[in-house]
Amino acid sequence: MEEFKGQPRLPKFAVPKRYDIRLTPDLTSCKFGGSVAIDVDVVGDTKFIVLNAADLTINNRSVSFTNKVSSKALEPTKVELVEADEILVLEFAETLPTGMGVLAIGFEGVLNDKMKGFYRSSYELNGEKKNMAVTQFEPADARRCFPCWDEPACKATFKITLDVPSELVALSNMPVIDEKVDGNMKTVSYQESPIMSTYLVAVVIGLFDYVEDHTSDGIKVRVYCQVGKANQGKFALNVAVKTLELYKEYFAVPYSLPKLDMIAIPDFAAGAMENYGLVTYRETALLYDDQHSAAANKQRVATVVAHELAHQWFGNLVTMEWWTHLWLNEGFATWVSYLAADSLFPEWKIWTQFLDECTEGLRLDGLAESHPIEVEVNHTGEIDEIFDAISYRKGASVIRMLQNYLGAECFQRSLASYIKKYACSNAKTEDLWAALEEGSGEPVNKLMNSWTKQKGYPVISVKVKEEKLELEQSQFLSSGSPGDGQWIVPITLCCGSYDVCKNFLLYNKSDSFDIKELLGCSISKEGDNGGWIKLNVNQTGFYRVKYDKDLAARLGYAIEMKQLSETDRFGILDDHFALCMARQQTLTSLLTLMASYSEETEYTVLSNLITISYKIGRIAADARPELLDYLKQFFISLFQNSAEKLGWDSKPGESHLDALLRGEIFTALALLGHKETLNEASKRFHAFLADRTTPLLPPDIRKAAYVAVMQKVSASDRSGYESLLRVYRETDLSQEKTRILSSLASCPDVNIVLEVLNFLLSSEVRSQDAVYGLAVSIEGRETAWKWLKDNWDHISKTWGSGFLITRFISSIVSPFASYEKVREVEEFFSSRCKPYIARTLRQSIERVQINAKWVESIRNEGHLAEAVKELAYRKY
């Protein structure tokens, strides 16, 4: 038996083909019983059957293996559940006959409260607390519900039967084919599923309402939610129906099941889960309430629904072979969800907003502690941590870069042939590259290996010397250290206008080009239309660009003259900020560039400007606290223009993007301590307390008002805090609760911050939502760190090995900026590190080291004080 222990994968001598599963959950005692009969093909000589099981009690006497030809039933001589490896090892007296047989196992388990496996979620109905039973199996938790070959490549069909109380709704992947009521219980049987992986099996049992619609080819689509909330499902339903139609066209393959259910779960660890035919969601990612949801909530629902439905093809129909290729699922679904959202809501300019995804990917991948897109997974405990910005955001960004390089039509054609070829089976990254290479004739495999098999990305340094354009690539690291990566880079560039564009692959470390030959323009004369050169046109490439002083100054002028697209304005700013953090540009030069954006009106660019101002404010508080008030004054003057144009009240017919911007800009002004904003917010908040339906505080500006209220709260004046808690307790809308939670800890008073953090651990906050409250004011950092240490045992017990626990570490550790804190953190976790937090911990410590170096560099920067004061007093 020893040979099966400590292995990352199951042995391959037996292959599952079909599961017949019966489950009987008891929602009162929170236990479940079950049995499974698995059709297994024995393909090698063995006395053993090894499959996955965890947190289950196996009824040893129920276990048997019956060969289909001889009908001889064999009982194992030994049944061992190895908890450390989550495997069930069955040993038989004789070698098993090869060919098909049926493995039968009876088992029992607990409906846990860990939001994984087969778990319980609670809800209220007419003031009474009730339980529902829910499954969440990705990545490796089907084994907590029934013994199985819990690996994505072990695809099989599933026949599911549930015994449940007769008044409850019981859902699974497939439509119901039979329902027999027997007193207060009923037995529900479902159609057998097509071939699929265990992580996509799903069951939900509880009381629900639903709304329903159909696609043009007759697929029944429903959105289920808590009783009384059905209307809030209509927006997602509409998006789902249109998205299924769109994907059918795009992938040239119809949706493969007879129905699609989407359901909102009150306790849910992730945002959503793409179970085949039964997609589960957090309430905030599926429900939209006209009265109380903000524009940001609407966009979130649309993109999450589009993401999960993309998985029905990319992930469910064609599945990654192993978790190393997780990015194929997640990167693709992220990219395609933008394609769908852009088609349904062109006015959202969603591809411009995609830059936020790209930036998050670049931010994580600028760490030495990043990982390649394709990452070796040797233990199931490591899988949760790679559901991160690399798999999703870098994954989506390199797909967009490749699509841009190959052309949209060729890309779509090749994708459709890939899906046809691998439907109902598994694929690796190389299989996708082969399909795209075949369809395009381009060296896709060679090009993309440099982006998926090594971590990091390049910064391209650009300079002009005697009419020659010189490009040099080197690995970008936020620490400023040199890296040794090299990439094949799809370069795009334009000169003076978007009419003169060129693209080519940069294979070498460096290259130089004759500008006139390459671009047909000259940039020697100031102010003519050839006055600037922009690389990475519209930010379609996953890399950064560093311009020499002269080229950078020309781009600054082009920004002021409104000659650049919003995506390029975003990119220039974001690259300059990253280079400043890596100590390759001065803070003075970054602030001077930011001043060029004083008349910026576009949401995505301003949103990034706001984010960058927060980060500069935090780092300056550590490096040059005496300059903080001047910096705040400068930032206020940058944002005031837009704030005055937008005003607090929405205007008839204004855009979705204006609604998004209003919320962010007033939140920023509140955090910067802008008096007029704080006073206006307070006035509107009090009107809201008196009347929850007041037009003075619509959902788009509530977060801004809540943050403003918390800026004035202190231990001696708690009224604003108490009022917000009252609103929190009265609302049953998850979006409202998370809006409040994410505002509370912005309070500058450390005593209040501590109270807020303790509130997160109380029974009033669902464990899925606690992480929203970890956005702590700079004054509260030290308090939060002490709180994390004091409560670590409780936190690690409650959030266990899910990915939510990693948020506690990254949110609380990353904002620090001293080597002393690095030592403290390392010391505290030296005896407390587990595989599922190891990567996050290393990344968070690296961020603190990067901040510490940046602080040192800002302290030593000459003439910074004069520059900051000049910018603060300048009229914009």
Side-chain angles (χ1 to χ4, degrees):
M1 275 202 181
E2 289 307 310
E3 64 183 291
F4 305 123
K5 296 179 181 176
Q7 300 298 320
R9 311 269 296 251
L10 293 169
K12 304 224 178 339
F13 43 61
V15 183
K17 296 295 181 189
R18 177 183 188 268
Y19 291 81
D20 193 333
I21 303 164
R22 186 162 190 157
L23 296 169
T24 308
D26 181 333
L27 294 175
T28 313
S29 69
C30 294
K31 293 188 167 132
F32 66 91
S35 62
V36 63
I38 312 171
D39 289 6
V40 175
D41 190 3
V42 178
V43 292
D45 286 344
T46 180
K47 285 184 175 182
F48 294 95
I49 292 182
V50 184
L51 65 166
N52 294 111
D55 303 341
L56 294 173
T57 306
I58 303 298
N59 175 354
N60 290 6
R61 294 171 62 183
S62 71
V63 182
S64 68
F65 180 78
T66 309
N67 178 264
K68 285 216 169 165
V69 179
S70 69
S71 302
K72 184 178 168 190
L74 303 173
E75 289 183 2
T77 52
K78 197 168 181 194
V79 176
E80 189 184 347
L81 192 59
V82 186
E83 280 292 353
D85 295 311
E86 302 185 343
I87 56 172
L88 175 64
V89 183
L90 309 175
E91 185 176 351
F92 294 85
E94 54 193 87
T95 302
L96 298 172
T98 52
M100 293 302 294
V102 178
L103 174 65
I105 305 172
F107 53 89
E108 287 176 349
V110 172
L111 291 172
N112 69 70
D113 60 356
K114 300 278 184 266
M115 297 184 284
K116 63 183 199 176
F118 200 10
Y119 73 92
R120 63 183 186 266
S121 172
S122 62
Y123 60 103
E124 268 188 25
L125 189 65
N126 306 326
E128 192 190 342
K129 193 176 172 188
K130 291 184 174 297
N131 286 326
M132 62 175 78
V134 187
T135 57
Q136 167 60 37
F137 291 163
E138 189 182 28
D141 294 314
R143 64 193 65 179
R144 290 171 212 286
C145 180
F146 58 95
C148 56
W149 277 259
D150 202 8
E151 295 183 0
C154 298
K155 285 188 160 183
T157 62
F158 294 83
K159 176 86 186 73
I160 293 175
T161 306
L162 301 174
D163 296 305
V164 297
S166 49
E167 76 279 7
L168 299 184
V169 174
L171 303 172
S172 186
N173 307 80
M174 300 298 288
V176 174
I177 45 168
D178 187 42
E179 194 166 300
K180 287 191 179 72
V181 179
D182 179 6
N184 58 2
M185 292 293 285
K186 64 180 174 184
T187 299
V188 187
S189 308
Y190 302 86
Q191 219 172 302
E192 188 163 329
S193 78
I195 184 170
M196 66 189 213
S197 303
T198 48
Y199 78 87
L200 295 166
V201 174
V203 166
V204 180
I205 300 145
L207 281 171
F208 304 101
D209 280 347
Y210 67 84
V211 283
E212 177 181 300
D213 199 356
H214 290 80
T215 62
S216 59
D217 49 357
I219 306 284
K220 185 194 284 181
V221 184
R222 285 182 175 178
V223 173
Y224 284 88
C225 44
Q226 285 187 55
V227 174
K229 291 188 177 183
N231 269 342
Q232 296 175 27
K234 285 181 176 169
F235 175 68
L237 180 67
N238 182 25
V239 170
V241 169
K242 288 181 176 161
T243 303
L244 284 179
E245 307 268 5
L246 184 92
Y247 289 158
K248 183 178 101 179
E249 292 299 310
Y250 190 81
F251 297 126
V253 174
Y255 173 68
S256 51
L257 301 187
K259 62 95 175 172
L260 172 72
D261 294 330
M262 308 198 299
I263 184 162
I265 307 293
D267 300 281
F268 196 80
M273 175 62 213
E274 68 268 20
N275 314 301
Y276 223 165
L278 175 56
V279 184
T280 44
Y281 295 80
R282 265 183 189 235
E283 291 194 329
T284 50
L286 187 67
L287 305 183
Y288 176 77
D289 178 318
D290 285 333
Q291 285 303 192
H292 296 287
S293 297
N297 300 129
K298 187 176 199 173
Q299 185 172 307
R300 168 99 179 126
V301 170
T303 50
V304 176
V305 168
H307 178 106
E308 300 312 323
L309 299 199
H311 277 309
Q312 306 302 306
W313 284 262
F314 235 95
N316 301 9
L317 185 62
V318 179
T319 311
M320 66 211 157
E321 192 276 330
W322 178 241
W323 300 104
T324 296
H325 307 281
L326 170 73
W327 86 277
L328 273 182
N329 275 14
E330 299 304 349
F332 236 96
T334 301
W335 175 79
V336 164
S337 68
Y338 277 77
L339 198 81
D342 187 51
S343 171
L344 298 184
F345 305 102
E347 69 281 7
W348 290 1
K349 295 189 180 174
I350 202 87
W351 280 116
T352 305
Q353 295 190 60
F354 181 81
L355 295 174
D356 293 331
E357 301 276 356
C358 199
T359 295
E360 280 303 304
L362 289 165
R363 198 170 156 255
L364 179 52
D365 210 24
L367 299 181
E369 288 293 351
S370 178
H371 62 84
I373 281 181
E374 291 182 69
V375 63
E376 279 307 311
V377 172
N378 297 312
H379 187 280
T380 49
E382 298 168 6
I383 305 170
D384 268 327
E385 275 199 305
I386 59 169
F387 282 80
D388 64 3
I390 301 297
S391 298
Y392 284 72
R393 290 163 166 166
K394 181 181 182 180
S397 302
V398 299
I399 286 161
R400 178 166 175 255
M401 175 167 74
L402 181 60
Q403 185 228 20
N404 190 64
Y405 176 70
L406 297 178
E409 274 171 41
C410 160
F411 190 80
Q412 182 179 351
R413 237 185 6 258
S414 311
L415 209 51
S417 74
Y418 164 83
I419 286 181
K420 272 198 187 68
K421 183 172 179 181
Y422 293 100
C424 300
S425 73
N426 298 79
K428 296 186 166 88
T429 303
E430 289 72 27
D431 300 322
L432 177 61
W433 298 159
L436 288 163
E437 195 156 302
E438 197 179 315
S440 66
E442 292 282 348
V444 175
N445 196 44
K446 189 178 175 192
L447 164 66
M448 294 312 288
N449 278 347
S450 74
W451 295 93
T452 65
K453 292 194 184 300
Q454 63 178 339
K455 64 185 175 189
Y457 56 87
V459 54
I460 309 293
S461 299
V462 197
K463 55 176 188 276
V464 171
K465 228 174 170 178
E466 295 153 10
E467 288 299 310
K468 282 228 181 302
L469 184 70
E470 298 186 355
L471 305 183
E472 186 177 348
Q473 64 159 301
S474 56
Q475 183 172 353
F476 176 82
L477 286 167
S478 298
S479 62
S481 309
D484 51 9
Q486 189 173 333
W487 288 261
I488 299 173
V489 189
I491 298 285
T492 50
L493 74 162
C494 58
C495 174
S497 85
Y498 288 96
D499 303 333
V500 188
C501 273
K502 267 281 179 286
N503 57 340
F504 55 87
L505 293 176
L506 178 68
Y507 284 94
N508 305 322
K509 267 281 196 207
S510 59
D511 223 331
S512 78
F513 306 89
D514 184 295
I515 293 177
K516 225 181 180 91
E517 245 171 67
L518 183 69
L519 292 163
C521 73
S522 155
I523 68 153
S524 53
K525 295 201 294 294
E526 287 289 343
D528 66 0
N529 77 338
W532 49 267
I533 285 180
K534 169 72 176 65
L535 254 76
N536 196 8
V537 180
N538 289 324
Q539 300 305 112
T540 53
F542 193 76
Y543 55 90
R544 296 201 181 278
V545 182
K546 181 183 182 184
Y547 297 94
D548 70 15
K549 224 173 180 152
D550 176 50
L551 289 174
R554 290 166 186 263
L555 286 169
Y557 180 72
I559 288 165
E560 286 177 31
M561 293 293 103
K562 305 195 172 30
Q563 293 173 355
L564 297 176
S565 68
E566 61 196 277
T567 41
D568 281 333
R569 297 198 301 274
F570 179 104
I572 290 164
L573 174 66
D574 201 62
D575 286 352
H576 203 105
F577 168 68
L579 289 160
C580 177
M581 183 189 253
R583 309 183 326 283
Q584 294 182 29
Q585 301 277 22
T586 61
L587 181 56
T588 304
S589 71
L590 173 61
L591 295 169
T592 307
L593 175 67
M594 287 171 80
S596 315
Y597 289 80
S598 61
E599 290 183 24
E600 183 59 63
T601 55
E602 288 296 340
Y603 164 68
T604 308
V605 184
L606 274 165
S607 175
N608 200 26
L609 206 59
I610 289 168
T611 303
I612 288 170
S613 71
Y614 290 155
K615 289 177 180 168
I616 293 172
R618 283 189 160 238
I619 218 75
D622 284 326
R624 302 289 292 270
E626 76 282 4
L627 297 179
L628 205 50
D629 285 345
Y630 296 108
L631 277 170
K632 284 181 177 175
Q633 187 46 53
F634 168 52
F635 295 146
I636 286 169
S637 51
L638 271 188
F639 305 140
Q640 236 170 332
N641 240 342
S642 285
E644 281 163 14
K645 262 189 210 135
L646 284 167
W648 281 84
D649 299 301
S650 62
K651 299 171 182 60
E654 72 174 9
S655 76
H656 167 78
L657 295 169
D658 282 345
L660 289 178
L661 181 57
R662 179 177 291 110
E664 285 192 32
I665 219 140
F666 283 113
T667 303
L669 289 170
L671 285 167
L672 291 165
H674 182 240
K675 281 199 173 56
E676 288 87 333
T677 299
L678 295 176
N679 294 338
E680 182 63 26
S682 176
K683 200 170 80 193
R684 288 170 181 263
F685 180 64
H686 283 100
F688 175 68
L689 289 179
D691 169 16
R692 296 288 195 273
T693 59
T694 177
L696 286 174
L697 201 67
D700 289 318
I701 53 169
R702 275 184 210 165
K703 167 97 187 258
Y706 299 164
V707 166
V709 164
M710 288 310 296
Q711 300 315 295
K712 292 184 163 182
V713 167
S714 65
S716 56
D717 177 8
R718 306 165 49 86
S719 62
Y721 176 51
E722 303 289 357
S723 301
L724 272 172
L725 286 181
R726 197 162 71 247
V727 178
Y728 177 89
R729 286 168 180 141
E730 283 170 16
T731 183
D732 72 335
L733 193 75
S734 293
Q735 288 165 350
E736 189 66 84
K737 283 190 188 293
T738 55
R739 240 194 309 268
I740 295 168
L741 286 176
S742 64
S743 311
L744 295 177
S746 68
C747 182
D749 187 305
V750 296
N751 299 301
I752 300 291
V753 168
L754 182 59
E755 257 187 72
V756 170
L757 292 169
N758 287 330
F759 176 67
L760 299 178
L761 301 183
S762 74
S763 59
E764 289 194 69
V765 179
R766 291 185 188 267
S767 60
Q768 62 166 17
D769 292 334
V771 291
Y772 288 110
L774 299 173
V776 171
S777 63
I778 192 153
E779 296 84 355
R781 281 185 307 186
E782 205 52 65
T783 304
W785 168 235
K786 184 177 182 314
W787 170 84
L788 184 72
K789 290 188 291 186
D790 292 345
N791 292 282
W792 182 252
D793 290 347
H794 171 71
I795 289 167
S796 55
K797 205 156 73 219
T798 307
W799 282 272
S801 61
F803 69 91
L804 287 173
I805 195 163
T806 62
R807 301 286 169 87
F808 283 87
I809 295 170
S810 56
S811 301
I812 288 174
V813 173
S814 301
F816 285 106
S818 73
Y819 297 113
E820 183 191 357
K821 193 56 68 186
V822 169
R823 285 191 292 277
E824 263 180 61
V825 173
E826 285 175 338
E827 196 177 314
F828 178 75
F829 281 106
S830 62
S831 59
R832 296 173 175 87
C833 195
K834 299 276 192 298
Y836 46 83
I837 58 168
R839 192 187 292 277
T840 304
L841 186 60
R842 292 196 305 271
Q843 289 169 347
S844 301
I845 287 169
E846 186 183 349
R847 290 196 199 282
V848 179
Q849 290 166 327
I850 289 164
N851 289 342
K853 284 182 186 165
W854 196 16
V855 162
E856 276 177 10
S857 134
I858 291 170
R859 279 182 186 151
N860 298 325
E861 188 174 318
H863 307 299
L864 178 62
E866 296 94 305
V868 169
K869 288 173 187 172
E870 191 273 318
L871 289 166
Y873 293 129
R874 196 189 285 181
K875 286 278 171 279
Y876 293 92

